[in-house]
Amino acid sequence: MSASSSTGERSRDLDAWHMRRALALAVQGRGRAEPNPLVGCVIARGAEIIGEGWHRRYGGPHAEIEALAIAGPRARGATMFVTLEPCCHFGKTPPCTNAILAAGIREIVIAQQDPFPQVSGQGIAALRAAGLTVHVGVLAAEAQRVTAPYCKLLARGRPWMIAKWAMTLDGHTATSTGASRWISNARSRAVVHQLRGRVDGILVGRGTVAADDPLLTARPPGARVATRIVLDTHAALPMHSQLVRTAGEAPVLVAAAEGAAGNRVAALQNAGCEVLLLPGSTAQDRLNALLVELARRRMTNVLVEGGSQVLGSFFAAQEIDEVHAFVSARVFGGETAPAAVAGPGVLDPAAAWSLDEPRIELLDGDVYMHGHVRRG
């Protein structure tokens, strides 16, 4: 379907063409709009786009308002395409439904109903009650992929958990001695830094800190400064580690058990780290408590960088939602060399975790595979 196509009747192809543009706009808000949803909007007359926008930052104008500002008076009688149901309540900004009606939009095409209780279905109902023609469900599946982190936070009270690892062709994340720098190449590592720059938290286990002494920051800086989260039952994070030494530059959250020694907790706190004492007699209990707390803080996206036991525990708990894996054309071998994902694993190949419509890219010889984890 070309951009210049136009008919007097509704065209499903044209609707989809405009909605794809709206979805492409929506993802430009990644790292800035959260915890609000990513939303894109296009206003058109036939095939001609007369206004477009996206939710650029949390607390800023919504996508519909940006698009209406560009369309100006030409919005009257036009059709709006928006990836998520327009809001109909006062939050940080006035209701978008009011602005849509005031602008004289004639018809609106919506990809997905907003699950937020103060909106869900009510924005659609308000627009229809005012006489607008409303179509819902165009490219709904694609829109749901874009809003998945927002929807999980609302529905399950958990952040969207993104697993990332780099491994050799034979599946190892380090040699048998623990050496791992560098498995992936510079271009792959640049992609990782882009990921770090748009998430709310970056999570590792204390073993990774001991082995690699990582900084866990985005270089160059991204849209967000992620909280660096360490699973550390005994609050034994070394005071000389890069994380502790840079706690004043980027937040460090040490997730420890309630029984952690008080002097260790105090030392980390005095160094500028936050220590979160988690209830529960098992690691799984404490993991659940941590995710609840991160969601309470409205962390929408959390990047899990390992190590293998940490990744295995998140996979076993069915808490990994998205995977970014980098495979280098190198072979380490070694019976004791660590694999990417440990933990209990699956017993039946048919029960393996898999990606839904994964994307595969070649990055200067590294194979980069990423996608959402398939559910059901």
Side-chain angles (χ1 to χ4, degrees), residues 2 4 42 45 85 127 142 186-187 219 255 266 290 313 331 335 354:
S2 70
S4 61
V42 164
R45 289 180 172 275
E85 176 182 9
L127 294 170
E142 290 89 335
R187 190 172 170 196
R219 302 183 294 277
L290 173 63
S313 66
V331 175
E335 294 181 0
S354 60

Side-chain angles (χ1 to χ4, degrees), residues 19-342:
M19 191 63 76
R20 284 194 185 92
R21 173 58 184 166
L23 288 165
L25 292 166
V27 298
Q28 294 189 47
R30 276 187 177 141
R32 294 180 171 85
E34 296 91 350
N36 280 355
L38 305 179
V39 182
C41 180
V42 164
I43 300 173
R45 289 180 172 275
E48 181 190 5
I49 294 175
I50 60 173
E52 60 181 29
W54 68 93
H55 190 27
R56 294 174 183 267
R57 62 178 179 82
Y58 179 66
H62 288 189
E64 300 94 319
I65 305 305
E66 282 213 342
L68 287 170
I70 293 172
R74 295 192 69 197
R76 185 162 300 277
T79 301
M80 174 178 283
F81 298 82
V82 64
T83 59
L84 190 69
E85 176 182 9
C87 66
C88 55
H89 70 292
F90 281 90
K92 288 188 173 294
T93 59
C96 287
T97 50
N98 291 2
I100 292 167
L101 295 175
I105 291 290
R106 173 182 59 85
E107 191 169 15
I108 185 165
V109 181
I110 299 168
Q112 180 188 6
Q113 183 172 311
D114 191 339
F116 187 61
Q118 288 180 267
V119 178
S120 188
Q122 298 174 65
I124 293 169
L127 294 170
R128 282 179 172 152
L132 270 71
T133 301
V134 181
H135 307 271
V136 183
V138 174
L139 299 191
E142 290 89 335
Q144 287 161 10
R145 292 177 70 85
V146 171
T147 59
Y150 164 76
C151 291
K152 183 186 178 186
L153 193 65
L154 280 179
R156 292 193 53 212
R158 297 282 196 279
W160 184 258
M161 305 303 294
I162 306 167
K164 164 264 164 184
W165 66 82
M167 65 183 183
T168 60
L169 197 58
D170 55 338
H172 295 305
T173 57
T175 67
S176 57
T177 65
S180 62
R181 293 185 178 175
W182 295 102
I183 291 175
S184 58
N185 62 33
R187 190 172 170 196
S188 293
R189 295 196 297 274
V191 172
V192 173
H193 282 287
Q194 290 170 8
L195 282 170
R196 288 178 175 180
R198 67 172 179 82
V199 299
D200 299 293
I202 302 168
L203 187 149
V204 297
R206 186 182 173 279
T208 293
V209 178
D212 299 336
D213 192 23
L215 193 55
L216 301 181
T217 56
R219 302 183 294 277
R224 300 178 98 78
V225 176
T227 296
R228 298 169 294 171
I229 306 164
V230 183
L231 301 183
D232 184 9
T233 303
H234 304 293
L237 191 63
M239 301 302 294
H240 63 268
S241 66
Q242 289 197 92
L243 291 176
V244 174
R245 288 189 286 110
T246 60
E249 301 168 24
V252 175
L253 175 64
V254 179
E258 285 184 325
N263 61 327
R264 290 176 177 169
V265 171
L268 288 170
Q269 290 173 332
N270 289 337
C273 301
E274 179 184 0
V275 181
L276 181 63
L277 298 177
L278 298 169
S281 57
T282 68
Q284 187 59 58
D285 290 339
R286 293 190 291 274
L287 185 63
N288 289 335
L290 173 63
L291 294 181
V292 169
E293 174 58 21
L294 297 182
R296 188 193 67 80
R297 299 181 184 203
R298 302 194 76 189
M299 288 193 180
T300 307
N301 296 282
V302 174
L303 183 64
V304 184
E305 292 208 16
S308 63
Q309 292 293 338
V310 169
L311 284 166
S313 66
F314 274 95
F315 270 106
Q318 304 291 325
E319 289 292 355
I320 294 297
D321 303 293
E322 184 177 337
V323 168
H324 293 255
F326 301 83
V327 184
S328 74
R330 308 170 76 185
V331 175
F332 281 176
E335 294 181 0
T336 60
V341 179

